[in-house]
């Protein structure tokens, strides 16, 4: 199996994140990608490929230009405004309630502020997502990893793994969030739709709901989004991911959320996976984008599921049984000692040899 990896992710070197107002050691750290890459190399069955640059256009097919510009300019602005910090985290976010009662016209007049803290709030969701000097560079390369995986699959590869870092599925059209800046999977899916004219399914098996991917394709009839995740009543991203969110307009029925309780184990999880796979089977198309996360693992420090490694091998087998080509992109997973083995188990489940 070809695996797209790059060392450029190292530029996004985050040390702390803010949790309930307090700095804690970051979960989404540089070592994650090195551990996964090391396990692929040790396995021997993966052909490592460098990404190629794809420019801004495929990003702008999915994201607001203002988000791209903010991420590009953020660090220079921090320096210009002489904020002596290692990382940028907003403290003020535009809550819906701030605009309650205002008309559409009045709301249309809201504008991005000039101060960098305000800009970070305008384009952000949460305080667990710091921007550091190399964030933009790394996030751009993560998109290139995803798009290179797409190129390889469109060029005839059956399954390609893209080791994206930073991850992407919390990033919405106009919002970075949850360790994510550009939505790698959504950008990949959009590129596949445009290249093939076919429908595309996105299967999101990260522990968290991919609110960004859901938002981007909410009204789209040509992209199915199916996600298995911790119930948002209990966990991040809290405000989206309920089972009754099914899409609107052309997208009705093309959004499938499968929230699960705490302590969900292999059996419950694989049942939910079968429901997601049924929805994909019912949607025409030959390519599936997988948002792959291992924060579902029993020892993950953020997730509260109880999956074992055996479930990952079995999940890989069941996804392969769709008989579709796969663009598999890395999202979360924060238990460093298990991360490499879990990734190999999942990918080997898909393709046992070669
Ligand atoms: C891609 C991805 O997996 N993003 C996850 C974003 C989660 N953000 C909230 C993190 C909350 C950390 N909670 C620490 C709890 C310690 N017990
Ligand atoms: Zn996650």
């Amino acid at each position: 199996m070809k695996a797209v990896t790059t060392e450029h992710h190292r530029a996004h070197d985050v040390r702390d994140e803010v949790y309930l107002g307090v700095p804690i050691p970051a979960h989404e750290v540089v070592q994650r990608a090195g551990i996964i890459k090391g396990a692929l190399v040790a396995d021997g069955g993966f052909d490592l490929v460098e990404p190629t640059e794809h420019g801004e256009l495929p990003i702008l097919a999915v994201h607001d230009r203002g988000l791209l510009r903010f991420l590009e300019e953020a660090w220079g602005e921090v320096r210009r405004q002489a904020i002596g910090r290692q990382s940028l985290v907003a403290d003020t976010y535009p809550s819906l309630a701030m605009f309650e009662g205002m008309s559409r016209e009045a709301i249309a007049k809201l504008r991005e502020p000039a101060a960098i803290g305000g800009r970070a709030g305008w384009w952000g969701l949460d305080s667990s997502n710091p921007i550091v000097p190399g964030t933009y560079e790394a996030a751009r390369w993560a998109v290139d990893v995803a798009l290179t995986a797409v190129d390889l699959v469109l060029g005839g590869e059956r399954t390609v793994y893209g080791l994206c870092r930073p991850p992407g599925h919390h990033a919405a059209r106009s919002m970075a969030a949850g360790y994510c800046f550009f939505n790698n999977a959504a950008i990949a899916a959009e590129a596949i739709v445009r290249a093939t004219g076919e429908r595309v399914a996105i299967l999101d098996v990260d522990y968290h709901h991919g609110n960004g991917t859901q938002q981007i394709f909410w009204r789209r009839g040509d992209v199915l989004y199916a996600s298995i995740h911790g119930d948002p009543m209990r966990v991040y991203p809290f405000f989206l991911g309920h089972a009754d969110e099914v899409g609107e307009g052309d997208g009705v029925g093309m959004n499938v959320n499968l929230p699960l309780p705490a302590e969900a184990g292999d059996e419950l999880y694989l049942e939910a996976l079968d429901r997601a796979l049924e929805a994909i089977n019912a949607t025409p198309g030959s390519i599936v984008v997988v948002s792959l996360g291992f924060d579902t693992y029993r020892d993950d420090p953020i997730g509260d599921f109880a999956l074992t490694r055996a479930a990952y091998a079995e999940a890989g087998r069941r996804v392969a049984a769709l008989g579709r080509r796969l663009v598999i992109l890395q999202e979360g997973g924060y238990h460093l000692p298990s991360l490499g083995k879990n990734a190999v188990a999942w990918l080997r489940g898909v393709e046992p040899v070669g």
Side-chain angles (χ1 to χ4, degrees), residues 169-170 206-208 293 295 331-334:
H169 73 154
H170 294 302
D206 184 274
Y207 168 79
H208 301 93
D295 32 11
E331 301 281 358
Y334 307 102

Side-chain angles (χ1 to χ4, degrees), residues 152-173:
L152 289 166
V153 165
L154 294 179
E157 292 291 330
R158 183 139 194 96
T159 304
V160 177
Y161 171 66
L163 210 185
C164 295
R165 183 182 175 273
H169 73 154
H170 294 302
R173 173 177 166 73

Side-chain angles (χ1 to χ4, degrees), residues 198-202 220-226 252-256 275-288 322 324:
E198 286 185 359
R199 293 199 205 183
V200 174
I202 302 172
R220 292 276 294 268
D222 51 354
V223 178
L224 174 74
Y225 178 67
V252 170
M254 296 293 280
N255 196 89
V256 178
R275 291 186 55 201
L277 296 176
E278 279 163 24
I280 294 172
N281 265 320
T283 305
S286 65
I287 304 179
V288 176
L322 284 167
R324 300 192 185 194

Side-chain angles (χ1 to χ4, degrees), residues 293-313:
F294 297 107
D295 32 11
T296 49
Y297 192 58
R298 57 197 308 176
D299 296 327
D300 190 88
I302 306 186
D304 61 9
F305 289 176
L307 296 207
T308 68
R309 188 158 304 134
Y312 296 133

Side-chain angles (χ1 to χ4, degrees), residues 58 61-62 147 150-151 154 185-197 200:
V62 158
L147 289 170
V150 168
D151 291 344
L154 294 179
I187 293 166
E190 180 66 22
I192 295 165
V193 166
R194 291 186 184 203
T196 64
V200 174

Side-chain angles (χ1 to χ4, degrees), residues 54-61 65 68-69 72 136 140 144:
H54 288 70
E56 290 183 355
L57 280 180
I59 299 177
L60 295 174
R65 185 181 293 274
L68 183 98
R69 287 290 158 256
E72 185 182 20
Y136 178 69
R140 284 292 302 267
D144 288 324

Side-chain angles (χ1 to χ4, degrees), residues 98-121:
M98 190 176 190
F99 316 117
E100 208 174 305
M102 289 172 70
S103 66
R104 262 176 124 61
E105 301 72 56
I107 284 174
K109 281 198 215 156
L110 299 174
R111 71 214 79 173
E112 182 181 3
I116 194 61
R119 292 181 74 189

